[in-house]
């Protein structure tokens, strides 16, 4: 079996150990990248609203996750 | 308490905060204090560490290894390769944008909003202990050597771990530092 076939077979594996481990790692990677990218966007002056739109989540959700959630009622900067 | 710090010690603390901020971590840890000490190679502490073969590069390498181990459980390169993701390539890309080690800091340790990076409880303990060491040695000011003594006495933070794993005899280092401090008067 060559490398490509081996990888394809792992991806299609029905052993939950393999598949779930991949999901776990992918989630950890996504979380880390999200953190870095949100931080970067904020440093560049992006608003929570703009960030939320790119992430496909609500402004409240991203603010809560990264800034403690105490949004004021005025228009978000 | 900071008014009793020497200019050098104060500069080290400030540099430790800057380092933590640059790494996008959530708290200033003992490892940031150690790196800040080593960034001042003329300081008593850095000289004492240098005598034992410890410099900034040695510490950074060990810290990266320790942090990768911690994240190792979650970021499994083989598991990612199984779905077509080359973790090394992702890491290289991230590090070229955000700096060394930035992929491997565990998620959830992200910096708080506003740029203020607090000290970890352990780092606060180290600062407290540095004061106590100065008092114990009957010295009026808290110098960089007292900071390192505080790190040694706290004994369990990343900084102490790294020193220990680098083969430093912490008791002997402590004796060295006390000797250097007494010499300086």
């Amino acid at each position: 079996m060559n490398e490509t076939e081996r990888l394809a077979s792992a991806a299609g594996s029905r052993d939950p150990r393999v598949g779930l481990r991949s999901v776990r790692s992918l989630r950890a990677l996504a979380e880390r990248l999200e953190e870095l990218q949100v931080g970067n966007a904020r440093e560049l002056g992006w608003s929570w609203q703009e960030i939320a739109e790119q992430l496909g989540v609500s402004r409240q959700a991203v603010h809560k996750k990264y800034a403690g959630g105490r949004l004021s009622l005025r228009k978000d900067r | 308490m900071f008014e009793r710090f020497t200019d050098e010690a104060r500069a080290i603390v400030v540099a430790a905060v800057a380092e933590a901020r640059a790494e996008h971590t959530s708290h200033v840890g003992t490892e940031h204090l150690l790196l800040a000490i080593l960034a001042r190679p003329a300081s008593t502490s850095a000289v004492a560490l240098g005598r034992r073969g410890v410099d900034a590069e040695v510490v950074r390498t060990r810290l990266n290894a320790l942090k990768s181990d911690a994240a190792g459980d979650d970021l499994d390169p083989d598991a990612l390769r199984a779905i077509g993701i080359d973790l090394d390539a992702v890491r290289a890309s991230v590090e070229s944008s955000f700096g060394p080690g930035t992929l491997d800091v565990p998620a959830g340790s992200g910096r708080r909003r506003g740029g203020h990076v607090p000290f970890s409880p352990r780092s606060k303990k180290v600062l407290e202990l540095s004061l106590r060491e100065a008092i114990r040695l009957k010295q009026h000011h808290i110098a960089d050597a007292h900071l390192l003594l505080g790190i040694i006495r706290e004994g369990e933070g990343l900084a102490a771990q790294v020193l220990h794993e680098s083969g430093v005899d912490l008791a002997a280092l402590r004796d060295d530092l006390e000797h250097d401090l007494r010499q300086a008067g």
Side-chain angles (χ1 to χ4, degrees):
Chain A
M1 220 189 259
N2 68 24
E3 183 67 12
T4 312
E5 284 164 347
R6 195 186 66 76
L7 284 176
S9 95
S13 171
R14 296 208 50 187
D15 179 357
R17 234 184 313 269
V18 173
L20 289 173
R21 189 146 183 80
S22 296
V23 171
R24 177 181 176 176
S25 285
L26 190 55
R27 181 172 291 136
L29 183 57
E31 279 298 305
R32 186 65 197 127
L33 290 175
E34 184 184 279
E35 207 168 328
L36 285 170
Q37 294 295 349
V38 168
N40 183 52
R42 285 298 289 173
E43 274 171 30
L44 291 172
W46 281 41
S47 68
W48 293 112
Q49 180 59 38
E50 288 166 328
I51 292 170
E53 271 167 26
Q54 286 293 316
L55 285 175
V57 301
S58 72
R59 177 172 66 112
Q60 288 79 1
V62 74
H63 192 276
K64 181 172 183 187
K65 189 168 178 183
Y66 291 100
R70 277 170 285 117
L71 265 178
S72 67
L73 290 174
R74 64 176 164 80
K75 200 102 175 102
D76 174 42
R77 190 178 57 80
Chain B
M1 181 183 107
F2 285 113
E3 64 280 1
R4 288 181 69 160
F5 274 46
T6 59
D7 289 345
E8 177 122 77
R10 199 176 296 122
I12 285 169
V13 171
V14 167
V17 175
E19 178 71 34
R21 186 174 286 133
E23 287 178 19
H24 297 264
T25 54
S26 63
H27 289 85
V28 183
T30 61
E31 73 275 20
H32 301 119
L33 286 166
L34 181 59
L35 285 169
I37 285 171
L38 289 165
R40 302 180 80 87
S43 65
T44 313
S45 312
V47 169
L49 286 166
R51 280 202 295 265
R52 287 157 190 286
V54 176
D55 63 17
E57 201 181 317
V58 164
V59 169
R60 278 193 198 278
T61 307
R62 268 204 198 273
L63 280 173
N64 284 340
L66 278 172
K67 285 181 184 175
S68 306
D69 286 348
D73 236 28
D74 280 353
L75 281 182
D76 180 343
D78 292 328
L80 289 169
R81 196 174 303 119
I83 46 175
I85 293 174
D86 178 344
L87 183 58
D88 286 337
V90 173
R91 182 178 286 114
S93 165
V94 165
E95 290 187 347
S96 82
S97 297
F98 296 106
T102 44
L103 186 66
D104 295 300
V105 176
S109 69
R111 178 153 49 93
R112 294 182 198 176
R113 191 171 181 244
H116 168 63
V117 188
F119 285 89
S120 67
R122 232 187 259 290
S123 292
K124 284 190 196 161
K125 185 83 193 158
V126 163
L127 292 172
E128 215 177 288
L129 288 169
S130 71
L131 168 61
R132 292 214 223 141
E133 291 291 280
I135 291 171
R136 180 176 70 87
L137 295 168
K138 300 193 186 354
Q139 292 175 323
H140 199 70
H141 286 99
I142 304 170
D144 64 281
H146 299 113
L147 283 173
L148 186 52
L149 284 170
I151 286 173
I152 294 168
R153 194 163 285 280
E154 194 279 334
E156 292 180 20
L158 263 182
Q161 269 183 57
V162 164
L163 290 176
H164 179 73
E165 285 184 17
S166 301
V168 175
D169 178 341
L170 293 177
L173 176 59
R174 192 183 54 223
D175 290 342
D176 269 4
L177 289 166
E178 291 183 13
H179 176 262
D180 290 342
L181 282 165
R182 290 193 161 113
Q183 289 269 288

